[in-house]
Amino acid sequence: MKKLGILLSGRGSNFEAIARNVQAGKIPAEIAIVISNKEEALGLARAKEMGLATCFIPSKGKEREAFDREVVAVLKEHKVDLVCLAGFMRILSPYFIREFPRRILNIHPALLPSFPGVEAQKQALEYGVKFTGCTVHIVDEGVDTGPVVCQAAVPILDDDTVETLSARILKEEHRIYSEGICLMLEGRVRIEGRRMVKVG
Ligand code: GRF
């Protein structure tokens, strides 16, 4: 059974959606460890309630790579195959990425390469695009720049606020993150340059 490592910093709704799909047998893996850099993260509390292995690793005041070394050590200890960032508010060091080459996924609340970075939903609303959405991508050394695994489009309505738009995008995030994880775990995609193409 393949092992997932989840990294989160907050609410953890994407983690919960993944956990539900794992429990339901829709993702062929188990969650080996949930790591948070925030002790008060709701996602960490939910993981504990679910009886999953959890770990709080404080990031405050630490050099980026020193923190990442601690996280990587815990992921390796739990023999993690695929790392899933789920609202993890840290940029990973090149060291971390080298330790898990093409084995780190992230979910971003916009159709990359549009609106990378923070407050992606607000950026899209203020820009005035008619469609935005969410993206599951492989994490590389840039910010939200890695190869795209899957995406979902969400229309922007005239009366949308950041809150209503974010809620509609989040629903799609919960759906496609598990889809992206399955594609990766089942080896149903291969990388051609920047393009991830389905095989079989
Ligand atoms: C989501 O919008 C995700 O796209 C972004 O951070 C947010 C995390 O939400 N990377 P949650 O903690 O999964 O509820």
Side-chain angles (χ1 to χ4, degrees):
M1 187 65 106
K2 290 275 168 79
K3 293 178 190 295
L4 303 180
I6 310 276
L7 269 52
L8 55 80
S9 303
R11 181 177 58 181
S13 71
N14 275 287
F15 148 66
E16 279 198 56
I18 294 166
R20 273 196 303 275
N21 284 329
V22 165
Q23 272 170 0
K26 291 182 184 162
I27 296 176
E30 59 184 301
I31 296 177
I33 183 75
V34 178
I35 301 174
S36 176
N37 65 321
K38 298 278 178 206
E39 198 168 18
E40 68 283 5
L42 186 63
L44 196 60
R46 293 289 296 124
K48 284 181 195 158
E49 283 166 24
M50 290 178 200
L52 295 170
T54 62
C55 183
F56 160 55
I57 306 178
S59 54
K60 216 172 169 190
K62 282 179 196 155
E63 292 278 346
R64 187 177 307 286
E65 191 173 313
F67 169 74
D68 282 4
R69 281 185 185 275
E70 290 182 48
V71 175
V72 166
V74 173
L75 292 169
K76 298 240 155 155
E77 197 181 301
H78 287 84
K79 304 199 171 1
V80 164
D81 298 293
L82 185 67
V83 180
C84 302
L85 309 185
F88 186 59
M89 302 310 282
R90 304 261 317 165
I91 293 167
L92 305 189
S93 62
Y95 160 78
F96 194 141
I97 288 153
R98 277 198 304 271
E99 290 297 310
F100 287 93
R102 289 178 178 172
R103 289 194 291 136
I104 310 169
L105 290 182
N106 183 39
I107 179 101
H108 182 75
L111 291 175
L112 291 171
S114 292
F115 314 121
V118 295
E119 299 191 326
Q121 304 94 330
K122 184 162 176 263
Q123 291 183 52
L125 195 63
E126 286 179 354
Y127 192 95
V129 289
K130 301 299 182 195
F131 282 90
T132 183
C134 47
T135 304
V136 177
H137 66 95
I138 293 183
V139 176
D140 65 8
E141 293 185 14
V143 176
D144 303 323
T145 52
V148 171
V149 179
C150 56
Q151 294 185 305
V154 172
I156 297 186
L157 310 177
D158 288 346
D159 58 357
D160 259 334
T161 61
V162 174
E163 289 69 32
T164 58
L165 177 60
S166 299
R168 279 208 318 289
I169 295 173
L170 194 62
K171 248 181 137 173
E172 292 299 295
E173 292 183 38
H174 294 167
R175 185 175 65 77
I176 70 164
Y177 208 167
S178 294
E179 190 184 305
I181 291 169
C182 287
L183 284 171
M184 296 292 291
L185 288 176
E186 292 165 357
R188 286 191 281 132
V189 275
R190 65 164 191 274
I191 299 192
E192 287 178 2
R194 278 197 54 89
R195 299 183 64 210
M196 307 263 321
V197 291
K198 286 189 186 159
V199 291

